[in-house]
Amino acid sequence: MTSDAVRRVQSGSPWEESFGFARAVAVGDRVLVGGTTSFKGSVLYGEGDPYEQAKVAFTGAIEALGEFGLGVGSVVRTRMYLSHQRDVDEVGRAHQELFASVRPVSTLLVVEGFVDPRILVEVEVEAFRGAEQS
């Protein structure tokens, strides 16, 4: 793959087809993973539990990176969107468990809501080929 080639992967989310987007896109040395929740198919994992939803969502995003041969060590940016400020500590704990050794830059926002009111957390990750840490 040349450095300016673009490659896309899908996760099977019903919204990808109806909205026209990919789960992750690689272009050159960058890999971007779009908003990921704790839905797997039609099942929401961790309903009512922001920590579990964050862990499942980040795991899904990391799995998308795996399609490009990358893992947690290549993550340089994370974004976390929460529907409730009360969940900051629990989502932060999940983030710390996954990324403490990597220390990506990070943004955390409290938003009005999500497409499904049971969703408490949505995450995004950006990775850089060559950033992989041992």
Side-chain angles (χ1 to χ4, degrees):
M1 175 162 75
T2 64
S3 62
D4 58 355
V6 177
R7 182 171 163 229
R8 295 171 174 80
V9 297
Q10 305 298 133
S11 70
S13 162
W15 293 302
E16 289 171 358
E17 189 61 36
S18 62
F19 289 9
F21 70 90
R23 167 62 47 223
V25 175
V27 59
D29 289 334
R30 292 182 69 194
V31 180
L32 310 171
V33 180
T36 306
T37 67
S38 63
F39 265 103
K40 295 207 180 267
S42 62
V43 177
L44 176 70
Y45 287 83
E47 186 167 348
D49 184 343
Y51 168 81
E52 188 62 27
Q53 284 195 22
K55 290 278 285 206
V56 172
F58 274 124
T59 299
I62 292 164
E63 287 170 359
L65 291 177
E67 295 289 323
F68 302 99
L70 301 175
V72 171
S74 64
V75 175
V76 296
R77 173 185 289 279
T78 60
R79 292 183 186 92
M80 296 162 278
Y81 304 94
L82 313 179
S83 57
H84 302 286
Q85 186 170 354
R86 68 174 184 242
D87 297 336
V88 167
D89 290 339
E90 287 299 292
V91 173
R93 180 168 65 99
H95 187 277
Q96 190 275 342
E97 289 175 6
L98 290 165
F99 299 106
S101 65
V102 179
R103 303 264 180 191
V105 297
S106 186
T107 301
L108 186 143
L109 299 166
V110 176
V111 298
E112 182 72 23
F114 299 105
V115 296
D116 184 309
R118 298 173 298 161
I119 297 172
L120 302 174
V121 181
E122 186 165 340
V123 303
E124 296 178 351
V125 301
E126 294 184 28
F128 185 76
R129 296 177 199 274
E132 193 77 35
Q133 297 180 12
S134 54

